[in-house]
Amino acid sequence: MYRILKKDVLVPSINLFEIEAPKVARKAEPGQFVILRLHEQGERIPLTIADFDRARGTITCVFQEVGKTTMELGTLNEGDYIQDFVGPLGMPSHIELFGRVVCVGGGVGVAPVHPIARALKEAGNEVLGIIGARHKGLLFWEDRMRAACTELRVTTDDGSYMRKGFVTDLLKEAIHEGGKIDLCLAIGPLPMMRAVCELTREYGIKTIVSLNTLMVDGTGMCGCCRVTVGGETRFACVDGPEFDGHQVDFEEMSRRSVIYKPQELLAREKYQQNHASRCACKGGTC
Amino acid sequence: MTEKKKAIKPQKNPMPVQDPALRVKNFNEVALGYSEAAVIDEASRCLHCKNMPCRQGCPVDIDISGFIKLAAEGDFAGAAKKIKEKNALPAVCGRVCPQENQCEKYCTLGKKYKPVAIGRIERFCADWEMANGTGSQEVAPPTGKKVAVVGSGPAGLTCAADLAKLGHRVTIFEALHTPGGVLMYGIPEFRLPKAIVQAEIENLKKLGVEIQVNSVVGRFATIDDLMQKEGFDAVFIGTGAGLPYFMGIPGENACGVYSANEFLTRTNLMKAYLFPTYDTPIRVGRKVAVLGGGNVAMDAARTALRLGAEESWIVYRRSKVEMPARQEEVSHAEEEGVRFKFLTSPTRIICNDDYWVTAMECLQYELGEPDESGRRRPVPIKGSEFIMEVDTVVVAIGQGPNPLIPRTTKGLECTKRGNIVADTETGATSKPGVFAGGDVVTGAATVILAMGAGRKAANAIHNYLTGK
């Protein structure tokens, strides 16, 4: 059992949990992920590591409530326990002195970008951070990212905060400003990562993306997470989760990501009905 | 043979089974087990040959004649104890061992009649003990030595049990959230109830074995960390064959194509057949094709029917006689309505605009000269392409060793295919103090062979630790 030491509702439906998991924290590196299972009937879901504290033995995860499991996770509070929590899984981000690096985070993807940006800056890189959200109310960790990057630029899709536009608009501006970009890292929703890759491909900027595929075991055993990269089948759980974005078959990946859409909707609906009948919030957002 | 002559019963006592029409709708165990009368009758068929040919067929060297004698006398506790001297998981082995290729293959009775149903007797005694026995086992005084066992499948469990009995402090590290390895994630409930596996594991804990789940060695700690920082004096690696092979044909990443590992793990370990009570989903279409002819393929095809598939096909590139699956599994599958397309192999998987499988293009084969495996080589027939409509494909053509430990362990010699190189008698690897056994060494094989390797390694580790 793994205790939740801290819960922070960053924005409605996006939560931060600090979880006591010393074995995981000891070896965790930026770019890696964990898999958790809430209880005996639970499914195993991967979450990218947003931060870690080796001394305190904790792992920080940031997740958005989108399906049954993440909604249920969101009802837990400080002091509650998660039954299973395993990691660190996947390959760590490749950190070295590249020169000037652009780190792009979209939506909840800002969380996993943060420790990578920080590590890149610590390695001596000039790090330009670009983060975005649909609207002001969904943006989080601007302060943390500002501290982790050399420079930070912020955008919202609807212009409710800072400038209006997508992260790709800011990225394009940064490219047009001139100045060498040695590497781009992008984490966020699939369409965003895909758009970033299409843009950087035009300019020949090497781009790394972190793929959040469906997974079961997360140790290379089932192949559920397979993606086509450079024409070859790779397993996101052990070969990734980071890959050369220009080589990733995003079309295939987006098709595979919705394999269980009907089941996910069913499970969510059933959960919401049960929850509404039990909880004082009466189906609202408790 | 000094005992008075008794009339030989030519046939085995039949194993009661769930009716095929019923069982295909549930996940309960298919074989129901002998009654007490049947087990005594079956055990009395044994001739107790002096040279005990059956024993040479047993990878863990069980005193078969000995336990059968006790079973014939109705002393099931004694019989179970006798089995447990050599076999830490008798309730498992009684169910999934391919006895027809092992002990029962060498049974003297089998030369003229049907062999003694050794496996069924073993199963009865183990189950009886689980229900009625104390399960107490002797443990040697503590040696003060610590051993790490990586993986809690058949090899790891056996190795851990033997070492614990010898007085060593054993910690098992399991990557998944439940111990048991392939016994939990791979072999279906209807062939090996998970409660049986967990009961065997509870017995192991009674020996003092500690099990740490959610512990992926190679990630939370390397083998070197275990030995240098965590104070383990020796390590046994029994990580199994946890890497699914795919065909390498176009369309294999389409939605609706599963590896057998994924299909079975979702169903067995995650209990997707109980969705949405359990959260893990699985999708089985109307018409399922399972590629391969081994036990895993049979398990997947039978599972597909239980999940509601209207048709479940085994598609195999050789013919029926070359199938590596146990005869019993093939018969059970046939009884349940699994259909077979022999001498057939897909060349590509066809999908619709949404990237879902709709069909496979297959090629027909004929058998040529025997290949290196001794089986006749399948040769494709030119121009024999045909389309087979399917909406789910399960690839069950085998598994390789999981690469995590080989990738993260310095100085551990591996083969080109990624198997760990280990001495066949001792399990010793190229790294001092590190031993390995089971599928990670041999490639995918059987539960009992993995157990045999775990046993040999336990002996070798004991000698290593005690300086013998």
Side-chain angles (χ1 to χ4, degrees):
Chain A
M1 300 286 270
Y2 302 80
R3 194 151 59 114
I4 299 165
L5 296 181
K6 185 180 158 194
K7 177 182 183 176
D8 194 357
V9 181
L10 297 176
V11 297
S13 87
I14 297 181
N15 302 294
L16 174 150
F17 276 5
E18 204 175 275
I19 294 154
E20 190 175 38
K23 238 160 74 172
V24 185
R26 212 164 46 187
K27 288 262 174 164
E29 296 287 350
Q32 291 187 296
F33 65 95
V34 295
I35 283 191
L36 62 81
R37 191 178 73 132
L38 286 181
H39 47 67
E40 206 49 51
Q41 287 78 37
E43 61 181 334
R44 295 168 63 96
I45 61 157
L47 290 178
T48 314
I49 293 172
D51 211 344
F52 49 88
D53 186 330
R54 294 198 215 289
R56 295 179 60 228
T58 61
I59 295 287
T60 301
C61 290
V62 172
F63 63 94
Q64 186 160 22
E65 294 174 23
V66 284
K68 192 249 175 186
T69 299
T70 44
M71 284 179 171
E72 198 176 357
L73 185 60
T75 64
L76 299 185
N77 289 304
E78 284 172 15
D80 290 342
Y81 288 85
I82 293 169
Q83 177 150 338
D84 297 296
F85 191 86
V86 58
L89 299 171
M91 302 295 281
S93 303
H94 180 68
I95 305 291
E96 65 167 64
L97 181 55
F98 296 99
R100 185 159 179 259
V101 183
V102 181
C103 289
V104 185
V108 75
V110 171
V113 163
H114 165 258
I116 306 172
R118 185 178 61 193
L120 284 166
K121 191 177 159 198
E122 279 167 9
N125 292 286
E126 184 192 335
V127 179
L128 168 62
I130 296 176
I131 59 172
R134 285 210 314 277
H135 59 84
K136 189 185 175 187
L138 289 175
L139 193 74
F140 64 92
W141 275 16
E142 186 186 345
D143 51 341
R144 280 213 197 196
M145 279 300 283
R146 210 170 284 286
C149 302
T150 319
E151 184 197 344
L152 183 74
R153 300 182 188 180
V154 184
T155 178
T156 47
D157 294 3
D158 66 353
S160 52
Y161 181 66
M162 301 294 259
R163 59 159 292 169
K164 179 175 162 44
F166 299 119
V167 287
T168 39
D169 297 330
L170 290 184
L171 178 60
K172 198 167 189 171
E173 282 174 17
I175 293 168
H176 286 169
E177 281 165 15
K180 200 165 172 281
I181 297 173
D182 299 289
L183 181 74
C184 178
L185 169 95
I187 308 181
L190 264 184
M192 181 215 100
M193 292 194 283
R194 191 175 185 169
V196 167
C197 289
E198 275 163 17
L199 177 64
T200 55
R201 183 183 281 123
E202 279 176 44
Y203 297 91
I205 301 166
K206 185 174 171 150
T207 302
I208 303 293
V209 292
S210 177
L211 302 181
N212 189 4
T213 61
L214 295 178
M215 287 186 191
V216 184
D217 65 287
T219 63
M221 196 186 80
C222 80
C224 171
C225 65
R226 59 199 193 277
V227 287
T228 301
V229 182
E232 277 180 37
T233 294
R234 309 290 299 275
F235 289 0
C237 69
V238 287
D239 300 323
E242 293 182 1
F243 293 102
D244 178 347
H246 295 159
Q247 304 285 323
V248 170
D249 183 343
F250 281 105
E251 183 60 29
E252 177 186 280
M253 197 186 150
S254 67
R255 298 290 193 187
R256 287 188 63 82
S257 70
V258 292
I259 288 179
Y260 295 107
K261 197 92 194 177
Q263 285 88 345
E264 285 164 7
L265 290 174
L266 176 76
R268 192 172 74 186
E269 207 168 291
K270 187 171 160 269
Y271 173 76
Q272 282 172 319
Q273 279 167 7
N274 283 342
H275 182 73
S277 66
R278 277 191 323 233
C279 183
C281 78
K282 301 279 179 243
T285 48
C286 66
Chain B
M1 250 126 303
T2 52
E3 287 178 31
K4 63 177 185 284
K5 277 216 165 161
K6 55 187 177 189
I8 285 173
K9 291 183 183 142
Q11 295 295 329
K12 282 182 180 180
N13 279 270
M15 174 60 104
V17 292
Q18 263 201 82
D19 182 86
L22 287 179
R23 74 185 190 228
V24 75
K25 294 189 173 69
N26 68 53
F27 275 83
N28 301 337
E29 192 170 15
V30 167
L32 301 170
Y34 275 163
S35 65
E36 206 169 304
V39 80
I40 289 176
D41 188 63
E42 185 63 31
S44 326
R45 291 180 65 221
C46 180
L47 301 174
H48 297 287
C49 314
K50 274 216 181 75
N51 58 345
M52 296 189 286
C54 49
R55 198 164 174 170
Q56 64 172 284
C58 177
V60 294
D61 190 38
I62 294 172
D63 178 1
I64 294 168
S65 170
F67 92 76
I68 288 186
K69 189 162 187 292
L70 291 163
E73 291 162 1
D75 180 4
F76 304 123
K81 197 172 173 204
K82 180 67 76 189
I83 299 168
K84 281 202 162 178
E85 284 172 8
K86 297 287 186 179
N87 184 344
L89 311 168
V92 172
C93 289
R95 287 173 166 81
V96 303
C97 263
Q99 289 99 5
E100 65 279 9
N101 295 325
Q102 297 177 169
C103 50
E104 294 180 20
K105 182 178 174 182
Y106 298 97
C107 177
T108 308
L109 263 185
K111 295 203 168 97
K112 217 167 163 189
Y113 310 105
K114 290 288 174 198
V116 176
I118 300 168
R120 294 172 184 178
I121 302 172
E122 179 186 32
R123 168 184 161 154
F124 180 91
C125 297
D127 286 0
W128 188 93
E129 212 248 3
M130 224 172 245
N132 305 298
T134 58
S136 69
Q137 293 173 79
E138 282 164 31
V139 175
T143 60
K145 299 286 183 187
K146 273 176 73 181
V147 184
V149 170
V150 186
S152 64
L157 291 177
T158 305
C159 188
D162 283 8
L163 288 167
K165 282 188 211 165
L166 291 164
H168 304 297
R169 221 172 101 199
V170 182
T171 305
I172 297 181
F173 295 101
E174 165 57 44
L176 293 170
H177 55 261
T178 307
V182 73
L183 306 174
M184 289 303 291
Y185 73 73
I187 303 176
E189 175 80 17
F190 57 81
R191 211 147 72 73
L192 178 64
K194 302 307 143 210
I196 297 276
V197 180
Q198 291 310 312
E200 299 267 40
I201 288 169
E202 284 308 311
N203 283 335
L204 209 69
K205 289 185 188 162
K206 285 183 197 150
L207 293 172
V209 173
E210 186 201 343
I211 302 180
Q212 290 192 19
V213 294
N214 297 325
S215 301
V216 184
V217 173
R219 288 283 183 241
F220 88 92
T222 61
I223 300 282
D224 282 327
D225 289 337
L226 293 178
M227 299 186 78
Q228 288 157 18
K229 295 183 190 163
E230 311 275 331
F232 287 99
D233 300 292
V235 177
F236 173 76
I237 305 170
T239 46
L243 177 78
Y245 288 146
F246 286 93
M247 303 276 293
I249 56 175
E252 217 169 7
N253 291 348
C255 305
V257 181
Y258 288 94
S259 74
N261 272 2
E262 181 186 354
F263 195 71
L264 293 171
T265 300
R266 282 181 181 273
T267 314
N268 301 324
L269 181 74
M270 306 309 298
K271 302 213 180 330
Y273 62 95
L274 298 174
F275 178 87
T277 304
Y278 279 68
D279 291 339
T280 304
I282 193 163
R283 186 198 171 276
V284 65
R286 201 179 54 76
K287 189 169 169 182
V288 178
V290 178
L291 314 179
N295 288 324
V296 174
M298 299 305 139
D299 286 345
R302 297 171 69 193
T303 295
L305 288 177
R306 284 162 172 79
L307 289 169
E310 287 166 32
E311 289 178 36
S312 179
W313 289 83
I314 291 279
V315 177
Y316 182 56
R317 66 193 184 119
R318 302 181 199 244
S319 75
K320 188 171 183 179
V321 291
E322 286 89 15
M323 279 204 300
R326 289 185 69 191
Q327 182 49 49
E328 186 179 296
E329 304 309 329
V330 177
S331 316
H332 280 162
E334 283 173 331
E335 286 163 20
E336 288 167 13
V338 171
R339 296 160 76 178
F340 294 79
K341 246 187 186 33
F342 294 116
L343 296 164
T344 304
S345 189
T347 47
R348 68 190 171 99
I349 290 166
I350 301 162
C351 44
N352 62 18
D353 291 344
D354 290 332
Y355 208 56
W356 278 93
V357 176
T358 56
M360 302 191 298
E361 183 190 80
C362 298
L363 205 54
Q364 278 177 335
Y365 285 69
E366 57 192 352
L367 291 178
E369 294 301 308
D371 62 13
E372 62 276 11
S373 75
R375 298 176 298 176
R376 291 178 64 190
R377 185 190 301 275
V379 185
I381 301 171
K382 264 200 189 129
S384 66
E385 287 89 350
F386 70 99
I387 299 291
M388 181 179 183
E389 281 181 21
V390 292
D391 43 24
T392 302
V393 177
V394 181
V395 185
I397 56 168
Q399 301 92 235
N402 189 292
L404 255 180
I405 289 194
R407 273 188 200 171
T408 56
T409 312
K410 284 183 199 116
L412 186 69
E413 194 191 330
C414 295
T415 67
K416 250 185 269 170
R417 305 192 85 180
N419 294 99
I420 297 174
V421 177
D423 186 282
T424 45
E425 285 311 305
T426 65
T429 68
S430 58
K431 211 172 159 65
V434 178
F435 299 76
D439 284 1
V440 74
V441 172
T442 57
T446 61
V447 167
I448 189 71
L449 283 173
M451 291 177 60
R455 144 131 326 130
K456 283 177 179 171
N459 285 332
I461 291 170
H462 180 64
N463 291 340
Y464 171 79
L465 294 176
T466 53
K468 278 178 196 161

